[in-house]
Amino acid sequence: MNEIALRMKTLRAHRNLKQQELSDKSGISREAIAKIECGTTLWPSKEAVFKLSEALDTTPWYFLFGVVLTAQDMDPDVLDAAKVLQSLPKDKRKLLADTIKLIAAQ
């Protein structure tokens, strides 16, 4: 089982949700959830990651990198900005990320 699958399954179990309940809450099919959890789907779409993160009251970073934060742990402005950033095409995300790094380094 890959790390994304393990994190998702563990978090779902901690929330006492069955796959169908998570499906109903997230809008992601139960079959897709099962494929992620068994490792058939190695890398879920960004849309799925965002929907599942919201349904499980965590952040996309938990799924992707194992960073354990809930949405309540993050500043709302940072969370909103991250959602916008994630929705951008890859080239624009990189440009914005590089700009943020430059600003932070000053």
Side-chain angles (χ1 to χ4, degrees), residues 17-86:
L17 293 172
K18 295 181 177 166
Q19 287 181 345
Q20 186 58 54
E21 293 170 321
L22 179 56
S23 172
D24 295 341
K25 201 171 176 184
S26 67
I28 304 297
S29 73
R30 189 205 58 77
E31 294 80 9
I33 291 169
K35 286 180 180 180
I36 294 168
E37 288 188 358
C38 75
T40 303
T41 299
L42 296 176
W43 197 252
S45 70
K46 67 180 177 185
E47 177 185 3
V49 170
F50 271 94
K51 286 181 176 184
L52 290 165
S53 297
E54 188 171 325
L56 291 168
D57 191 31
T58 193
T59 66
W61 292 273
Y62 176 78
F63 286 98
L64 302 176
F65 308 113
V67 176
V68 182
L69 293 172
T70 63
Q72 288 80 17
D73 293 329
M74 296 187 71
D75 180 287
D77 292 333
V78 173
L79 188 57
D80 289 342
K83 288 178 181 179
V84 170
L85 184 64
Q86 187 61 35

